[in-house]
Amino acid sequence: MRCADIYFGLPPKEVRKLSYELTLKYNLKRPSSWDENRMAGEDWFSAFMRRNTELSLRAAQATSLSRATSFNRTNVDAFYDNLQKVMDRDSFEPQDIYNMDETGVTTVQRPDRVVARRGIRQVGSVTSAERGTLVTIAFAANAIGNVIPPLFVFPRVRYQDHFIRDGPLSAVGTANPSGWMQDEGFMLFLKQFQKHTNCSVNHKVLLVLDNHSSHVHINALDFCKENGIVCLSFPPHCSHKLQPLDRSVYGPFKKAVNSQCDAWMRNHPGKTMSIYDIPGVVARAMPLALTPGNIQAGFKKTGIYPYNRDIFNDLDFAPAYVTDRPTPNEAKPQDDSNLPETNNNSTSIEKPNSNYDSQHTPNASDVEENSNEAILAEESVQESTTFQFLQPSLPAPINPTPHDNSITNSRTNSPKLSTSDEVFTPHIVKPYPKAPPRQTENKGRKKRKSTIYTDTPEKEAIQKEAEERERKKRAKEMKVNRSLKSKCSKPKGIKKMKTTKKPKVSSDEDEEEYYCLVCMESYGTSRPGEDWLQCTGCKMWAHEACTAGDPFYLCHNCESD
């Protein structure tokens, strides 16, 4: 149960292997078939599940490693600290607290269950195509259950008004080749949001959203600042727990969309659903899913409104156990005695450090003392994965002695030791996974955190980041232009004079681009192979077609001098 709580649940075969390893560790009686298969039998597992009625076989939901580990108490407390700060500062009413998020709808639905003949091997249902085309939809809802008309983002180069002719009332749309939310699309959404909320500097509203790059664009933050929109972001990879729309709205919405797509296919037999039919499907699915009750439940389950920062317990934070360690700015130099020692024969267990372990793992100190046993030769195989599964050693079977009070199994000749001297726990054989220490270097893009983006210090920091990115982008473009110019034909001088050599200019100056002295066209935009002449006086360049074609060209500036 503990392994399932931290999202590293054991499948039936692993449980059977663990049972066999425990019999080796504690020298328990076992059938000979266990030694042959190196695991317990299927009949033992069936009986084990019948004896423990609190256990059941469940289909695990795929959860990314980032989501499982990022939802920890440190990140969540930082979000609620920022939420409490803005709530105390501006005294937002529930109708002024909004959550915004995007979701995707494709033209290929997941069919509903149908009634079919019993015993048939396969039941099919018609879909539009093999692969669907995604359309992004942005919703915003407040804590009392009202919904802003959505924004549709179509995977097209140009947007046309007829794309949303069957969509919800007052809905808007945009288009880009990727079909994902981008800076221009988010600006259009903010204008739609300001229009329907009637927010201003005197009537502020709180917009809680994730930290996607399009949401933290400096132009969007300027618009929010000017119109009284306070933007508060969730911690990275935590929206599956903290975002109201994710918790209680998008699940029913996707089911309603699938049902409406099935109905569309039945009403239009032989036709293929296109992205222009999606707004009509969404318009029919919205009243079924985006109800005031569902929306209010999402805000309540996340503790945003009514405000409740203790809405999550230790079990909710259990998946972050594998990275239960201080953040880089809070980390202290570790003593060598606290680090796990690993060699070819033994591995020490890192003592769990969380409230959950103190409540659910009894006698943790006893477990740690018994973790350095010798391992069987055939079991000394060390796995190398992203997370270090600290695998302690298994002891060799103990031979019975005349004065031993243990019970000997006649089938395996292994004695049964009394368990009064040591604690029986699977943690000794298969400890919980634990992540290695953090790397000191932080490579890649900057990691975000829960932030009030519209506050002046945060907004200025984002503006500096945008300016730095723009400066690097211009420098990269200039470097590429220089590389292309060196490969293309250069302005031709007459008789290979020394004047054909370009003057050296600093790499970070904007004047590095050359312009015609007559028509002011840049050399980078001129036609390939076009001849240029250099002035014999000022050493500047001009199109040969713009001059008289004199080999000893002298520009009009030098002639006037």
Side-chain angles (χ1 to χ4, degrees), residues 94-157:
Q95 64 270 17
D96 297 329
I97 303 175
Y98 286 84
N99 173 223
M100 176 265 177
D101 189 28
E102 300 95 346
T103 187
V105 176
T106 66
T107 56
V108 174
Q109 82 280 11
R110 183 177 181 180
D112 290 335
R113 292 186 295 178
V114 298
V115 178
R117 184 183 297 107
R118 182 183 296 274
I120 190 171
R121 288 183 175 272
Q122 184 176 356
V123 178
S125 183
V126 176
T127 59
S128 178
E130 295 291 338
R131 294 183 180 181
T133 305
L134 181 73
V135 175
T136 301
I137 308 173
F139 288 103
N142 62 6
I144 63 174
N146 294 333
V147 184
I148 301 296
L151 166 73
F152 293 86
V153 183
F154 294 90
R156 293 293 182 267
V157 177

Side-chain angles (χ1 to χ4, degrees), residues 324-396:
D324 187 13
R325 53 193 179 180
T327 54
N329 55 353
E330 298 176 355
K332 297 180 181 180
Q334 295 182 351
D335 188 25
D336 294 338
S337 60
N338 296 329
L339 296 176
E341 297 179 359
T342 304
N343 51 40
N344 295 332
N345 297 325
S346 64
T347 306
S348 64
I349 298 178
E350 197 173 329
K351 185 175 181 179
N353 183 19
S354 67
N355 297 331
Y356 187 93
D357 293 316
S358 62
Q359 299 174 7
H360 293 73
T361 308
N363 298 328
S365 59
D366 296 336
V367 171
E368 190 164 351
E369 292 175 0
N370 298 325
S371 61
N372 292 322
E373 302 291 337
I375 192 170
L376 292 174
E378 61 270 22
E379 295 289 347
S380 59
V381 179
Q382 185 177 5
E383 296 181 359
S384 175
T385 57
T386 304
F387 288 94
Q388 298 174 351
F389 287 77
L390 302 179
Q391 185 74 20
S393 307
L394 299 177

Side-chain angles (χ1 to χ4, degrees), residues 137 139 150 152 166-169 253 257 260 277-288:
I137 308 173
F139 288 103
F152 293 86
D166 298 327
L169 295 177
F253 176 71
V257 167
Q260 294 299 324
D277 300 313
I278 288 181
V281 171
V282 172
R284 294 187 293 272
M286 281 182 60
L288 304 176

Side-chain angles (χ1 to χ4, degrees), residues 260 302 326 411 417 442 453 474 551:
Q260 294 299 324
T302 56
R411 302 178 65 179
L417 298 181
N442 183 16
Y453 284 124
R474 288 199 305 267

Side-chain angles (χ1 to χ4, degrees), residues 218-458:
I218 188 61
N219 294 337
L221 298 183
D222 288 337
F223 181 88
C224 293
K225 190 79 172 179
E226 295 170 358
N227 292 274
I229 304 175
V230 180
C231 293
L232 172 62
S233 71
F234 296 109
H237 309 294
C238 293
S239 60
H240 65 295
K241 290 282 191 179
L242 291 175
Q243 190 141 234
L245 293 177
D246 272 346
R247 292 297 301 272
S248 63
V249 174
Y250 282 160
F253 176 71
K254 291 297 182 65
K255 291 182 179 179
V257 167
N258 285 334
S259 298
Q260 294 299 324
C261 289
D262 285 341
W264 191 96
M265 295 300 298
R266 295 188 186 95
N267 295 331
H268 301 82
K271 293 185 178 180
T272 300
M273 179 181 290
S274 67
I275 59 175
Y276 313 117
D277 300 313
I278 288 181
V281 171
V282 172
R284 294 187 293 272
M286 281 182 60
L288 304 176
L290 277 77
T291 61
N294 287 347
I295 297 172
Q296 292 174 12
F299 278 90
K300 184 177 180 180
K301 290 170 67 175
T302 56
I304 295 178
Y305 190 88
Y307 178 79
N308 183 11
R309 66 180 305 147
D310 298 323
I311 194 72
F312 300 105
N313 54 28
D314 291 332
L315 185 61
D316 295 312
F317 297 114
Y321 169 82
V322 292
T323 54
D324 187 13
R325 53 193 179 180
T327 54
N329 55 353
E330 298 176 355
K332 297 180 181 180
Q334 295 182 351
D335 188 25
D336 294 338
S337 60
N338 296 329
L339 296 176
E341 297 179 359
T342 304
N343 51 40
N344 295 332
N345 297 325
S346 64
T347 306
S348 64
I349 298 178
E350 197 173 329
K351 185 175 181 179
N353 183 19
S354 67
N355 297 331
Y356 187 93
D357 293 316
S358 62
Q359 299 174 7
H360 293 73
T361 308
N363 298 328
S365 59
D366 296 336
V367 171
E368 190 164 351
E369 292 175 0
N370 298 325
S371 61
N372 292 322
E373 302 291 337
I375 192 170
L376 292 174
E378 61 270 22
E379 295 289 347
S380 59
V381 179
Q382 185 177 5
E383 296 181 359
S384 175
T385 57
T386 304
F387 288 94
Q388 298 174 351
F389 287 77
L390 302 179
Q391 185 74 20
S393 307
L394 299 177
I398 301 176
N399 295 325
T401 58
H403 56 275
D404 191 7
N405 296 326
S406 60
I407 301 175
T408 304
N409 182 7
S410 59
R411 302 178 65 179
T412 60
N413 294 327
S414 61
K416 179 179 180 181
L417 298 181
S418 175
T419 58
S420 60
D421 297 335
E422 53 184 341
V423 179
F424 183 87
T425 171
H427 189 276
I428 290 181
V429 175
K430 189 181 290 293
Y432 310 128
K434 199 68 176 177
R438 283 189 174 93
Q439 298 180 356
T440 56
E441 298 181 0
N442 183 16
K443 298 181 180 180
R445 58 183 181 180
K446 182 178 178 180
K447 293 183 179 180
R448 297 289 181 184
K449 60 181 181 179
S450 177
T451 309
I452 308 172
Y453 284 124
T454 48
D455 283 1
T456 301
E458 301 295 341

